[in-house]
Amino acid sequence: MIVAKFGGTSVQDADAIGRVIDIIGDKRARQPIVIVSALGGATNVLLEIAHKAAGGELLIALHMIEQLRDRHLREANTLLQGSSEREEIAAEVSASFDELAHLAEAFRTLGYLTPRSLDTVAAVGELLSAQIVAAAFRHRGLPGVCIDARDVMRTNDFFTRAEPDTDEIDRAAREFILPVIERGSIAIMGGFVGSAPGRVTTTLGRGGSDYSASLVGAAVAAEAIEIWTDVDGMLTADPRIVPKAQLIERIRFDEAAELASFGAKVLHPSTIAPAVQRGIPVYVFNSRNPSGRGTMIAFEAPRMAVRAIAGKRNTTVVKLRSARMLLAPGFLRRVFEVFETHRTSVDVVATSEVSISVTVDDPSNLDAVVADLMEFGDVAVERQRGIVAIVGAGIADGSRAIADAIAAIGAVPIHMASLSATGINFTLVIDDEQVVPAMQRLHRTFFESAA
Ligand code: ADP
Ligand code: ASP
Ligand code: MG
């Protein structure tokens, strides 16, 4: 069995979905399970619809709903020309948009959104794409069966970034997915979407379809997890920032996980853990270039000092200075409890005897965090910061990588620096506007120079 996930651009229209069917058609013997994202950009539109409606702009929201309905119907009609299912699928698609219009009216009346209602709206994209793609498979003579992600992807109720219940997912995969595979059919399920107890719709967070794929892969003990996207694989940097980024043919799980969590959007940061747990290799391929070599992510890869560069913009730094930290056991625990209480995750950490600096990605609960931290000492918040990281299993192995990285960055202010305990990630916090030029300089140093 393999799990193959196709991201938004890989299912953006009828042509792209046609390519998905070709790719999977060639892999039938390997018993594929297909995970699809929403049609490219649909999740953004859905969330915008919800925000517009709650903000009082109902007419705009309804207009956007009609445009999104038309887009889905157009692609479904193109894919299902001559299919006996065409009308039925069109009716189901339309019914979802009617329901969305009712929801939009309710949001307008309420004037606010809850994380739970946002998930209900965001999930529509994947629930529809899975239905459309499965019907398109059948029309092309392949036995596609649509699986409702809410039956399989069981989560807690942390809406907008729900956490999976892997025991429940293992059980549900046996109940809902394996029978489909055993009778020779192709299971097709939306990524990103899940359900909390009571079958309340949740989502795994933006970009979460990759995570759905690895959770399903782990649940069925797949032989491989394939992430099909719009670039040739994992590259030495984000190609939008570094046009000369090169394909990485093999990379270790831990390196890929670091890259993902430090900004390489090609993989959702949680994707690697389930694969590592069951030892399943993860591949990244380009759905527009299916014969490409792609990237293989596994336990072993040829050792390189620096495998890739990552970067993240819009990071916030929180600095705490406290005289009480001196010789106080348990101090760090109490500080981190504050972040935990306010569900704010911390990325980079640096400490001294009297101070601690951390970066946070999502500052939505920062006011509450700062208020609680003030009990320990002086707190300063620095916005407009960014992170650059070099990642590679050999960074700390006596190589020149760290010295070269600092030299490459040049004379820009460095606000924090951190070398991970495993020595595979060296991170610098710099001004936000320096992230792009710093990534370009780092890439030149490590990948574009003749040496
Ligand atoms: P999908 O919709 O298929 O999930 P995403 O947009 O989420 O695709 O992720 C693919 C994008 O990730 C690429 O188009 C690329 O711009 C970006 N990206 C960032 N860093 C990297 C990297 N190191 N290697 C490859 N792609 C990267
Ligand atoms: N469609 C969702 C998003 O845009 C999930 C995904 O594509 O991975 O965030
Ligand atoms: Mg993605």
Side-chain angles (χ1 to χ4, degrees):
M1 257 177 299
I2 60 169
V3 174
K5 173 261 175 177
F6 293 86
T9 43
S10 303
V11 293
Q12 67 184 358
D13 55 22
D15 284 347
I17 294 171
R19 287 192 289 273
V20 170
I21 300 173
D22 293 338
I23 291 167
I24 295 300
D26 288 344
K27 293 179 185 274
R28 276 220 44 205
R30 297 179 71 194
Q31 301 182 301
I33 297 165
V34 178
I35 308 291
V36 288
S37 285
L39 308 199
T43 311
N44 286 345
V45 177
L46 287 163
L47 292 172
E48 203 185 331
I49 287 168
H51 286 290
K52 290 267 186 245
E57 297 182 277
L58 181 63
L59 285 181
I60 296 177
L62 293 176
H63 180 66
M64 291 171 74
I65 290 172
E66 289 321 306
Q67 284 185 322
L68 199 58
R69 183 202 305 263
D70 288 349
R71 176 178 173 203
H72 281 80
L73 288 176
R74 188 175 61 241
E75 304 309 335
N77 281 329
T78 307
L79 284 163
L80 301 177
Q81 246 162 38
S83 156
S84 56
E85 282 192 87
R86 182 167 132 174
E87 279 182 17
E88 190 190 324
I89 296 291
E92 281 174 24
V93 169
S94 236
S96 293
F97 285 101
D98 291 344
E99 212 172 291
L100 197 56
H102 286 128
L103 275 174
E105 279 161 23
F107 296 155
R108 200 273 309 264
T109 308
L110 281 171
Y112 65 86
L113 295 165
T114 60
R116 176 172 169 164
S117 56
L118 279 171
D119 273 355
T120 302
V121 172
V124 170
E126 269 73 6
L127 294 173
L128 286 179
S129 65
Q131 279 182 302
I132 294 171
V133 170
F137 267 74
R138 293 191 290 272
H139 186 44
R140 288 265 304 264
L142 293 169
V145 175
C146 179
I147 304 230
D148 189 319
R150 293 167 295 192
D151 288 331
V152 176
M153 201 50 58
R154 304 297 176 78
T155 69
N156 63 12
D157 63 358
F158 295 164
F159 295 103
T160 73
R161 44 183 168 181
E163 291 164 1
D165 179 335
T166 47
D167 290 339
E168 278 292 303
I169 293 170
D170 287 357
R171 195 196 52 68
R174 280 196 296 277
E175 183 180 345
F176 292 99
I177 297 183
L178 290 186
V180 173
I181 307 298
E182 275 154 18
R183 59 173 195 265
S185 298
I186 301 171
I188 296 162
M189 188 181 100
F192 178 56
V193 176
S195 69
R199 213 169 184 280
V200 182
T201 303
T202 57
T203 69
L204 300 176
R206 296 307 306 269
S209 292
D210 303 327
Y211 193 20
S212 303
S214 71
L215 288 164
V216 169
V220 302
E223 63 184 89
I225 296 162
E226 299 182 349
I227 304 293
W228 289 84
T229 183
D230 60 354
V231 286
D232 281 338
M234 286 197 99
L235 307 175
T236 48
D238 183 342
R240 287 169 304 185
I241 295 174
V242 180
K244 288 192 179 163
Q246 301 152 16
L247 177 68
I248 301 171
E249 290 193 26
R250 275 192 79 131
I251 180 171
R252 285 176 19 171
F253 280 129
D254 51 0
E255 293 172 324
E258 294 286 337
L259 277 179
S261 61
F262 284 90
K265 190 191 169 214
V266 63
L267 277 187
H268 183 281
S270 305
T271 311
I272 297 298
V276 169
Q277 241 165 31
R278 307 256 160 116
I280 305 169
V282 177
Y283 296 83
V284 182
F285 293 120
N286 188 343
S287 65
R288 286 175 186 277
N289 177 23
S291 58
R293 293 190 303 274
T295 298
M296 179 186 188
I297 310 169
F299 284 114
E300 294 301 332
R303 205 167 180 80
M304 279 182 73
V306 177
R307 182 89 60 194
I309 313 288
K312 232 186 331 199
R313 301 196 56 181
N314 281 319
T315 302
T316 305
V317 176
V318 181
K319 290 186 172 168
L320 169 67
R321 284 176 64 89
S322 170
R324 271 189 290 154
M325 194 162 160
L326 212 63
L327 301 178
F331 182 85
L332 283 178
R333 179 182 53 74
R334 290 202 299 281
V335 168
F336 283 110
E337 259 168 18
V338 170
F339 288 92
E340 188 186 358
T341 307
H342 299 294
R343 303 198 52 71
T344 296
S345 70
V346 162
D347 289 322
V348 188
V349 181
T351 66
S352 81
E353 187 62 8
V354 292
S355 72
I356 169 164
S357 308
V358 305
T359 67
V360 301
D361 239 8
D362 175 5
S364 15
N365 299 332
L366 206 58
D367 289 348
V369 169
V370 170
D372 285 2
L373 286 180
M374 291 208 308
E375 313 228 328
F376 300 105
D378 298 333
V379 183
V381 174
E382 299 173 4
R383 296 179 199 271
Q384 299 291 302
R385 297 288 188 245
I387 293 175
V388 287
I390 55 173
V391 171
I395 287 179
D397 270 7
S399 77
R400 294 169 40 96
I402 292 175
D404 288 347
I406 290 175
I409 297 273
V412 304
I414 293 175
H415 304 288
M416 278 171 74
S418 153
L419 175 67
S420 68
T422 47
I424 68 164
N425 180 344
F426 178 64
T427 307
L428 295 169
V429 177
I430 56 181
D431 290 338
D432 186 64
E433 79 252 18
Q434 293 293 339
V435 169
V436 168
M439 281 181 72
Q440 291 166 342
R441 284 201 293 273
L442 286 167
H443 197 269
R444 273 204 295 278
T445 297
F446 291 108
F447 299 103
E448 296 167 41
S449 63

